[in-house]
Amino acid sequence: MPHLIATLTAAAAAADTTGFWEQVLNSLTTAGLRIAGAVGIVVGAVIVAWLLRVLIRRVVIRIVNGAKNKAQVQDTQAIERSPLAAVRVVQRTRTLGTILSNIVNVLIGVIAIILIVNLLFPGILGSFALLTAALGAGLGFGAQNIVKDVLNGIFIVAEDQIGIGDVVDLGLATGVVEYVSVRVTHVRDVNGTLWYVRNGEVTRIGNMAKGWARVIVDVTVPADADVDDVEKHLLDVATALTNDRAWRSRITGYPELWGLQTLEDETLVLRVVLKTRTSAKDDVAGELRMRLKRDLQEAGVSVTGLASVVLEGAEGAQRVRGAHPPITKPQPVVWKPKKSGKKRGATPPDKTSPDKTSPDTTPPGTTPPEEKP
């Protein structure tokens, strides 16, 4: 009997040991499968993100190449000589490609994390539903600025307000746009400082790379100089620069004389203006100043000041369309003779000779017709 009990006890212990090891083996198998599933999710997310980025990059390259082929150029820098629409297509496409790549990375990353957590801990998402709701509400209040930045960034790019390579004034920073994401915009100023501007903080944008630019040069000469002669020299120099083959592609309009700006005791300030491409404004301004100085000195006119001007505020608003008033068609002047009323009992006037008492019906500024014999 004791031997039987000992045998049964040993068998039970062996069974317990076997069940324990089977349970451990099952747990390791399950954990291994979950880890393998998590690794598979990570690998799949990386592959999907890579494929989407490749797709976005190919679409961007195709659009950019189409714009270059349409403009018949090989380099994107040469598109500046083509119509402005081609330049904006290239800039906007590259900006949208960057933003779409960022959105793809964020979305795939979030989805992969949720799937991995659900795979490793199947019941954690349901168990922490209330906690997740509370965290979501808290993040909703705390992430208002992030949501504002993202929405404002999407509208900035969708409405083509700025693009990579544009020279902009965002109020907070001024410089060249190097990168645009859904939350921040990178702007490099003239000193080389890289500014990170949150899109939600941008309330106004001054884009200096769209359309055309205006070169405004003020020339200061002595008060005894002949104004008409100096203006003729200014217009001749600006016209010669406009017709120069090396500068013709950078200038988009005809030169304008805005006349005498200020008159002081010893100096006069005359202003000449040129419309240029936005990327060539500084180059054209420098060349125009150099040619004006050289021409006026050869003409014997002393130049006491020569500077480019940037108009702002009310002065800039008044001159935004140029110095010349709009040209309108003259209104025709229609002259109608007055009708003389006939008095009762009055003798009708003699039709063969002009009536001295009747009103003059000859239009002003004309000679009455000669009487026929």
Side-chain angles (χ1 to χ4, degrees), residues 60-94 164 209 211 249-250 252 277-280:
V60 171
I61 292 175
R62 179 169 296 182
I63 295 175
V64 171
N65 290 337
K68 291 194 295 185
N69 293 334
K70 187 176 181 180
Q72 297 181 355
V73 296
Q74 297 297 329
D75 187 7
T76 54
Q77 298 295 330
I79 299 182
E80 295 180 355
R81 298 186 178 183
S82 64
L84 181 65
V87 183
R88 297 308 304 174
V89 165
V90 172
Q91 294 176 343
R92 190 177 184 183
T93 303
R94 287 176 174 172
I164 296 176
S249 60
R250 310 182 195 184
T252 60
R277 295 187 179 274
T278 55
S279 58

Side-chain angles (χ1 to χ4, degrees), residues 217 219 233-248 250-251 272 274 283-299 301 303 306:
V217 177
V219 181
H233 282 281
L234 298 182
L235 186 59
D236 291 343
V237 171
T239 303
L241 179 61
T242 304
N243 296 329
D244 193 337
R245 296 184 61 182
W247 296 90
R248 186 185 308 165
R250 310 182 195 184
I251 300 174
V272 61
L274 268 179
D283 297 335
V284 174
E287 181 68 16
L288 180 61
R289 290 194 302 267
M290 181 62 66
R291 294 193 180 198
L292 288 174
K293 180 178 181 297
R294 187 181 305 145
D295 185 80
L296 291 176
Q297 284 183 346
E298 292 177 357
V301 180
V303 180
L306 193 62

Side-chain angles (χ1 to χ4, degrees), residues 127-337:
S127 301
F128 291 98
L130 296 178
L131 180 60
T132 304
L135 290 175
L139 290 175
F141 288 105
Q144 290 180 359
N145 290 332
I146 297 178
V147 175
K148 180 181 177 182
D149 295 340
V150 172
L151 291 178
N152 201 23
I154 292 175
F155 282 113
I156 285 175
V157 177
E159 295 174 358
D160 195 22
Q161 298 178 15
I162 61 176
I164 296 176
D166 287 351
V167 181
V168 298
D169 180 5
L170 302 181
L172 303 173
T174 301
V176 180
V177 178
E178 290 191 352
Y179 181 76
V180 180
S181 67
V182 294
R183 198 180 72 84
V184 296
T185 299
H186 299 181
V187 178
R188 179 87 63 177
D189 66 10
V190 67
N191 299 314
T193 304
L194 183 62
W195 296 89
Y196 298 86
V197 182
R198 287 172 44 199
N199 295 330
E201 298 296 326
V202 177
T203 57
R204 67 174 181 87
I205 298 177
N207 196 327
M208 291 169 274
K210 271 192 172 184
W212 50 268
R214 180 172 274 153
V215 173
I216 304 175
V217 177
D218 281 356
V219 181
T220 305
V221 296
D224 57 351
D226 188 353
V227 176
D228 294 336
D229 184 61
V230 174
E231 286 187 343
K232 183 178 181 303
H233 282 281
L234 298 182
L235 186 59
D236 291 343
V237 171
T239 303
L241 179 61
T242 304
N243 296 329
D244 193 337
R245 296 184 61 182
W247 296 90
R248 186 185 308 165
S249 60
R250 310 182 195 184
I251 300 174
T252 60
Y254 296 100
E256 298 179 6
L257 282 176
W258 286 9
L260 182 63
Q261 300 299 309
T262 60
L263 172 61
E264 297 181 358
D265 296 337
E266 298 180 356
T267 58
L268 304 174
V269 178
L270 303 173
R271 181 168 292 173
V272 61
V273 178
L274 268 179
K275 274 187 178 182
T276 68
R277 295 187 179 274
T278 55
S279 58
K281 177 181 177 181
D282 295 335
D283 297 335
V284 174
E287 181 68 16
L288 180 61
R289 290 194 302 267
M290 181 62 66
R291 294 193 180 198
L292 288 174
K293 180 178 181 297
R294 187 181 305 145
D295 185 80
L296 291 176
Q297 284 183 346
E298 292 177 357
V301 180
S302 177
V303 180
T304 59
L306 193 62
S308 297
V309 181
V310 177
L311 302 182
E312 296 178 353
E315 186 179 8
Q318 292 172 0
R319 291 302 184 99
V320 68
R321 295 186 180 277
H324 302 294
I327 300 176
T328 58
K329 295 182 179 180
Q331 297 294 332
V333 179
V334 180
W335 179 86
K336 294 182 179 180

